[in-house]
Amino acid sequence: MPRIFAHDLFLDYVSDFPKIILREPAAAEFSAAVPTLLQRLYASRGLSRDADLESGLEHLPKPEMKGMSDACALLANALEKQHRLLIVGDFDCDGATSTSLAVLGLRALGAADVDYLVPNRFEYGYGLTPEIVAVAAERQPDLIITVDNGISSIDGVAAAAKLGIPVLVTDHHLPGDSLPQAAAIVNPNQHGCPFAGKSLAGVGVMFYVLLALRSELQQRGWFSAERAKPNLAEFLDLVALGTVADVVPLEQLNRILVEQGLRRIRAGRCRPGIQALLRVAGKESGRLVASDMGFAIGPRLNAAGRLDDMSLGIRCLLTEDADTALSLAAELDDLNRERRSIEQSMKDDAMRVLAHLQLDPTAVPNGICLYDPTWHQGVVGILASRIKDRYHRPVIAFADADGDEIKGSARSIPGLHMRDALDLIAKRHPGLLNKFGGHAMAAGMSLAKADYSRFAEAFDAIVAELTSPEQLTAAVYSDGELTAEDLSLERAELLRGAGPWGQNFPEPLFHGRFRLVQQRIVGARHLKMVLAPEQGGGQIFDAIAFNIDTDVWPSPDTEYVELVYKLDSNLFRERLSLQLMVEHLRPL
């Protein structure tokens, strides 16, 4: 199997050529100020007017969420009374950035005592559990604030209440049928919340809480010459990182947050920890794009939560010292290398299990479940994602947890809402799932090891019921073929700056036929090519395809190829040149 690198955007088998579906632009009324190519790309992604492209902070909607007034009163009172505040976060990148933002933001607003606690996933699991409340109580907090979790922590909030500790829940995950009895809940996805930005990540929700709290404190006359009102935009680098890494839809609200954070990072006005993570990842901050945060910085932070303790990542984001940040970033980079090795071993195991299904495509389950007692609990989510990409099926990968329980991490495909599917299984098979929660595209769950086979059958049946054969067929959406004029460095730079691109606002993808001028293997499994347009004209440019099948490539007898690719620019030795980033190719 090809080796998978965390920074690669590409599917495992670049030689498996998918069905191509052309994106169809909707009606739009852009002004002439928007280049024609971008008008077509934006219109096919649901935008229709110049106002949809606004990225200034003044275009952010006001922080009018259900529970926000109660949350701000609770926090403002706590600041005035100099109460001890304890942030309880999550062990992924969104959780790490949310926790860091909460600590830094509350301190900047004048909180006297702010600390944080992140549950170790292997000891306490996800969220504010009664067990983690007991640990939190040892620090004697006056208020617990959850970030990126808490909406399903009914027992944990109840345990805190018994100890006399109020809880403020800030979260973005979908709520269940019942809510915790918290002192206040801020979650745009809770029932009855009028806020339109349902796609905020956990770090985005916390940013909005800080904005609203600053307004509340200003009304109370909190700020003075001695206590200046902070510029919360200084923390948008954290907001951008957590938003991209959590793969939430990049609707306009999130695009504004990400774009503003990117601008700060490119200008060098970001946390020392982010600068250090970029350095160990080999990324230049001045040319940073959203995908770099998702595939270079995010995995290194996530590696701490997957293999060790996310507090390592949070310390990296919190420190003000550049040398300390670089040392912590190096530790995170080492953990990420270890994570890659573990992931590859697990992926090889999974592919061996599924190998016989390749002989008969009709035998591949609609919904794939995989379990191995030797697998690492912290890496099953990535494994599920890789297998999902390979088979274009919803996938759940399981690993052993405590006792007779196993924990699974699920990844879905467009058109199947994973959490809703699990909810349907829970209702039809009472007691089968011990716990579950998540989003449309990703979810987590736990169940008894003895129930694995029964769950796998139930999951396959639900996926078959909720999806069509077309949804289970690998396909890519292309923005069409580019003319020879559009195959230029100028166009590549235009597209690079036209984002930020991301989930539900995908980076432009094109297809076409080219003459293969040169080809060679670099880095063991990557195909470096020199291409020319099929119709000639003297123009040539570089292209690279990652993780190719070395049994097929290089192919000396191949003169023409068909590609699915992204138009990009490559900076090498201070020289900028056009480069096609190939996602799929086949010989003609």
Side-chain angles (χ1 to χ4, degrees):
M1 297 299 300
R3 185 177 180 189
I4 306 301
F5 293 90
H7 60 269
D8 291 342
L9 245 61
F10 313 102
L11 301 186
D12 299 354
Y13 285 85
V14 75
S15 57
D16 286 354
F17 210 79
K19 175 183 178 181
I20 295 175
I21 301 174
L22 283 176
R23 292 189 184 277
E24 294 294 337
E29 298 179 352
F30 292 106
S31 73
V34 181
T36 303
L37 175 60
L38 294 186
Q39 288 189 32
R40 176 165 64 85
L41 297 174
Y42 289 145
S44 66
R45 287 155 177 76
L47 309 188
S48 61
R49 54 202 178 100
D50 290 27
D52 296 333
L53 306 175
E54 298 289 357
S55 59
L57 292 176
E58 68 274 13
H59 296 285
L60 287 176
K62 295 180 180 179
E64 296 170 346
M65 296 185 199
K66 182 179 180 180
M68 189 67 86
S69 295
D70 292 339
C72 289
L74 188 68
L75 287 169
N77 291 340
L79 264 63
E80 289 177 343
K81 297 176 182 177
Q82 296 190 332
H83 280 170
R84 290 193 186 95
L85 308 180
L86 181 65
I87 314 301
V88 176
D90 188 18
F91 36 67
D92 65 0
C93 187
D94 188 16
T97 52
S98 299
T99 301
S100 302
L101 174 65
V103 171
L104 293 168
L106 289 169
R107 287 175 180 170
L109 287 167
D113 191 339
V114 188
D115 200 0
Y116 67 91
L117 175 64
V118 179
N120 183 298
R121 80 160 75 212
F122 310 110
E123 294 181 41
Y124 299 104
Y126 169 78
L128 187 70
T129 61
E131 293 78 12
I132 204 65
V133 167
V135 176
E138 296 175 4
R139 304 192 187 184
Q140 299 181 322
D142 297 300
L143 175 65
I144 290 175
I145 305 165
T146 72
V147 292
D148 193 31
N149 76 94
I151 198 65
S152 61
S153 301
I154 295 173
D155 294 340
V157 171
K162 286 184 179 179
L163 296 173
I165 308 171
V167 177
L168 164 59
V169 169
T170 76
D171 200 354
H172 70 124
H173 294 93
L174 297 175
D177 294 332
S178 300
L179 295 178
Q181 296 300 305
I185 297 176
V186 180
N187 182 339
N189 288 300
Q190 66 176 310
H191 304 300
C193 182
F195 191 73
K198 306 297 184 185
S199 62
L200 279 174
V203 69
V205 174
M206 190 62 224
F207 183 69
Y208 262 85
V209 169
L210 293 173
L211 290 175
L213 175 59
R214 186 177 63 179
S215 296
E216 172 71 18
L217 291 170
Q218 187 166 9
Q219 291 177 7
R220 296 189 182 198
W222 176 255
F223 303 113
S224 63
E226 293 76 24
R227 186 190 290 125
K229 185 173 75 169
N231 177 13
L232 296 176
E234 293 178 359
F235 305 120
L236 282 168
D237 54 346
L238 294 171
V239 179
L241 173 56
T243 298
V244 172
D246 214 44
V247 202
V248 293
L250 285 194
E251 298 170 359
Q252 186 173 19
L253 165 58
N254 283 332
R255 290 201 305 275
I256 293 173
L257 294 174
V258 172
E259 175 62 20
Q260 291 294 326
L262 279 170
R263 289 181 186 181
R264 297 192 68 83
I265 297 172
R266 290 173 189 145
R269 301 196 311 272
C270 65
R271 303 295 306 164
I274 291 180
Q275 291 180 327
L277 286 165
L278 286 171
R279 182 173 172 181
V280 299
K283 294 294 179 180
E284 183 183 336
S285 61
R287 287 182 54 78
L288 195 74
V289 293
S291 60
D292 293 327
M293 291 193 289
F295 292 90
I297 309 178
R300 286 169 170 80
L301 280 172
N302 277 329
R306 294 187 187 283
L307 301 184
D308 191 16
D309 186 340
M310 184 47 92
S311 61
L312 176 66
I314 295 171
R315 292 204 311 274
C316 182
L317 294 177
L318 287 178
T319 184
E320 302 289 347
D321 182 75
D323 291 338
T324 300
L326 189 58
S327 175
L328 292 169
E331 290 185 54
L332 291 168
D333 190 52
D334 289 342
L335 282 173
N336 193 49
R337 294 175 191 275
E338 180 183 351
R339 188 272 305 164
R340 287 180 188 169
S341 176
I342 293 170
E343 176 197 337
Q344 185 60 45
S345 175
M346 291 167 57
K347 186 171 179 290
D348 290 344
D349 290 345
M351 285 303 189
R352 279 192 289 270
V353 171
L354 293 170
H356 68 284
L357 298 179
Q358 297 184 53
L359 302 176
D360 179 8
T362 63
V364 179
N366 297 283
I368 297 174
C369 285
L370 298 164
Y371 162 66
D372 190 300
T374 67
W375 284 350
H376 195 290
Q377 190 185 126
V379 187
V380 287
I382 301 175
L383 174 65
S385 181
R386 304 303 189 210
I387 304 299
K388 181 263 296 182
D389 287 345
R390 179 68 180 91
Y391 286 92
H392 202 71
R393 297 285 196 277
V395 177
I396 307 177
F398 288 90
D400 280 345
D402 294 331
D404 295 325
E405 192 174 65
I406 56 176
K407 288 187 177 181
S409 189
R411 296 296 183 270
S412 194
I413 60 173
L416 179 78
H417 195 295
M418 183 58 75
R419 190 199 173 281
D420 287 355
L422 295 174
D423 187 52
L424 197 54
I425 291 175
K427 289 173 179 175
R428 291 185 182 178
H429 305 273
L432 181 57
L433 282 165
N434 295 342
K435 293 179 182 178
F436 70 93
H439 301 290
M441 301 303 291
M445 73 225 65
S446 61
L447 55 104
K449 190 181 302 184
D451 289 334
Y452 169 74
S453 295
R454 189 159 66 97
F455 174 81
E457 292 178 5
F459 180 63
D460 184 38
I462 285 293
V463 174
E465 177 183 333
L466 298 180
T467 60
S468 65
E470 291 75 21
Q471 288 174 291
L472 300 179
T473 301
V476 296
Y477 285 85
S478 170
D479 290 293
E481 298 188 51
L482 291 177
T483 65
E485 180 185 33
D486 284 328
L487 287 165
S488 67
L489 179 60
E490 179 186 10
R491 290 290 191 273
E493 287 292 282
L494 177 70
L495 297 179
R496 189 178 183 89
W501 310 103
Q503 182 72 8
N504 285 23
F505 196 71
E507 188 174 354
L509 192 66
F510 307 99
H511 71 279
R513 299 183 176 206
F514 299 88
R515 183 167 61 88
L516 187 56
V517 179
Q518 294 178 19
Q519 53 179 314
R520 61 188 175 92
I521 297 295
V522 296
R525 303 198 67 93
H526 311 321
L527 184 67
K528 185 79 172 177
M529 295 170 280
V530 176
L531 303 173
E534 186 179 27
Q535 302 305 320
Q539 181 183 11
I540 62 170
F541 35 78
D542 291 335
I544 188 165
F546 291 92
N547 300 315
I548 54 88
D549 185 348
T550 53
D551 291 332
V552 176
W553 302 98
S555 175
D557 296 330
T558 297
E559 185 177 359
Y560 289 92
V561 291
E562 184 172 11
L563 308 179
V564 176
Y565 64 92
K566 293 175 180 175
L567 200 63
D568 199 7
S569 54
N570 181 44
L571 182 65
F572 182 67
R573 293 179 179 173
E574 299 185 355
R575 178 178 175 269
L576 202 59
S577 61
L578 175 68
Q579 180 171 253
L580 272 55
M581 310 297 288
V582 178
E583 293 210 5
H584 304 278
L585 83 160
R586 64 178 173 187
L588 295 175

